[in-house]
Amino acid sequence: MAKADQMLSILWMLKQRRRTAAELAEELELSVRSIYRYIDALCASGVPLIADAGPGGGYSLPEHFSAAPLFFDDGERRALVQASAFARGSGYPYVEALDGALAKLKRYSNAEQQSQMERQGSGLETLHSPAAPLEHLLGELESSTSGSLTLEMEYRKGNGDAPSFRCVDPYGLVLWKGQWYFAGFCHLRQQIRSFRVDRIARLQRTGASFLRPAGFSAREFLLQGLLPDQDKTEELISVVIEAPERVLNELCSHWLFGHTLEQRSSEAARFLLDEAAVNSYAPYFLLPYGRSLTIVEPAALKQKIAAVATDIAAHYSK
């Protein structure tokens, strides 16, 4: 039996009642010396074992130990502490529970481990874009997603029209570019749609439930809605860009250009974009790169970038 399994067995036995080293050794078919070695390892890992000397003594655990996390190594503690930095400020709905879990982890760690977690937590930070508080909505959406519960939603479109009312089956949440979205089946449109969480005015459970499609990914659904249809290559426009390798690396790491990359060398890259992206998105994204890149084709994209730059120059020349 592995060392971790032996230690876990000791913990379960001590959780039931106090035991001596001899009793543990007999039940686990180990030597008393091995038991002492495992006891020392448990203490070093932060387990608050109680050792009573004398007749009737032995080892036991505090009554509150049932809530203690077990066997987190240094890498696992680091991951938990630093992962909390990514959740804070994103609108994550269970920050209080996260704080409670981290507090419990620190409570059952020794002084050296606590100090190490403090250093690890301060060594990694994130910046989040300011956004409206969405914890309540995100919590309700997450609960309804995991519970397969249908919701009635009051939703505001971005065009300023009056809010619409619809029933939705939430399939999953996605955080993309600082905005929360959820994808689900819209009963009004009778198809799967994506919605921005910050445009939801009200959510209410209907009492109905649904069956989530097997293998559905809200992330993939949202991404496919943003990317051109690669199955219709005859309708896509070839965009060829020449630039230093560093600039090309940046372009290829972008969500749109990275997913539409067709061919790449150290000096040039070819992308396949739809007409809407070429005319509306690409010019404004590529313009800040200035002379560090050259648009080889199409001519329409070069003309669009020139027009945008001229318009900006004219605006600031007034």
Side-chain angles (χ1 to χ4, degrees):
M1 187 180 293
K3 177 181 178 181
D5 294 331
Q6 298 284 19
M7 294 169 67
L8 186 59
S9 297
I10 291 174
L11 284 176
W12 281 113
M13 293 169 66
L14 294 181
K15 184 180 178 183
Q16 296 171 355
R17 63 178 175 84
R18 177 187 290 109
R19 283 178 165 84
T20 64
E23 290 174 332
L24 291 170
E26 182 179 358
E27 293 190 45
L28 294 175
E29 299 181 351
L30 297 170
S31 66
V32 173
R33 183 177 180 180
S34 295
I35 293 297
Y36 286 140
R37 190 165 59 248
Y38 290 137
I39 292 292
D40 290 341
L42 287 170
C43 292
S45 69
V47 177
L49 283 170
I50 299 173
D52 297 319
Y59 297 100
S60 60
L61 292 167
E63 292 183 3
H64 60 255
F65 185 74
S66 60
L70 305 178
F71 301 127
F72 286 119
D73 60 28
D74 177 59
E76 292 166 339
R77 288 192 297 269
R78 180 197 304 270
L80 290 171
V81 170
Q82 294 182 347
S84 69
F86 290 92
R88 301 179 191 283
S90 69
Y92 179 68
Y94 304 120
V95 171
E96 290 186 6
L98 181 61
D99 288 339
L102 290 175
K104 185 182 295 184
L105 176 61
K106 293 177 181 179
R107 178 184 178 187
Y108 294 102
S109 300
N110 57 40
E112 181 182 351
Q113 292 167 342
Q114 291 178 12
S115 176
Q116 187 176 45
M117 283 188 284
E118 291 295 332
R119 295 193 302 271
Q120 292 167 345
S122 63
L124 187 149
E125 298 178 271
T126 62
L127 289 174
H128 295 280
S129 301
L134 301 174
E135 287 85 354
H136 174 70
L137 292 172
L138 290 170
E140 183 64 18
L141 285 166
E142 190 281 326
S143 296
S144 299
T145 297
S146 59
S148 298
L149 303 176
T150 300
L151 296 169
E152 181 183 74
M153 177 176 67
E154 181 180 348
Y155 189 72
R156 298 184 296 262
K157 294 184 178 180
N159 56 13
D161 289 348
S164 61
F165 296 84
R166 63 188 76 196
C167 288
V168 291
D169 300 333
Y171 291 164
L173 283 158
V174 181
L175 178 63
W176 183 69
K177 298 186 70 173
Q179 289 285 354
W180 281 99
Y181 298 80
F182 85 89
F185 182 78
C186 175
H187 291 234
L188 178 65
R189 303 301 181 191
Q190 286 296 297
Q191 61 182 195
I192 300 176
R193 304 285 288 268
S194 60
F195 304 91
R196 274 179 50 167
V197 176
D198 63 335
R199 292 179 180 171
I200 298 174
R202 183 179 62 84
L203 284 175
Q204 181 176 334
R205 298 184 184 184
T206 64
S209 59
F210 63 89
L211 183 63
R212 187 173 184 267
F216 179 85
S217 168
R219 175 188 177 276
E220 293 301 321
F221 178 80
L222 181 65
L223 194 60
Q224 288 302 318
L226 296 168
L227 295 175
D229 190 347
Q230 298 296 313
D231 293 332
K232 300 179 179 178
T233 55
E234 68 278 3
E235 300 177 9
L236 300 178
I237 299 173
S238 174
V239 175
V240 178
I241 298 176
E242 293 181 349
E245 188 171 9
R246 174 186 58 81
V247 176
L248 291 177
N249 289 339
E250 290 185 13
L251 287 179
C252 292
S253 67
H254 185 262
W255 64 270
L256 175 61
F257 287 92
H259 283 83
T260 59
L261 179 64
E262 179 69 12
Q263 190 175 2
R264 165 78 193 271
S265 70
S266 60
E267 299 176 349
R270 178 173 178 262
F271 308 93
L272 293 178
L273 303 179
D274 58 25
E275 185 177 1
V278 170
N279 291 330
S280 61
Y281 183 83
Y284 294 95
F285 176 76
L286 296 174
L287 183 62
Y289 283 93
R291 297 181 179 179
S292 65
L293 58 77
T294 300
I295 308 297
V296 179
E297 60 178 60
L301 179 56
K302 293 191 284 186
Q303 294 168 1
K304 183 66 176 181
I305 291 179
V308 171
T310 300
D311 183 61
I312 294 175
H315 174 75
Y316 285 102
S317 298
K318 295 179 181 178

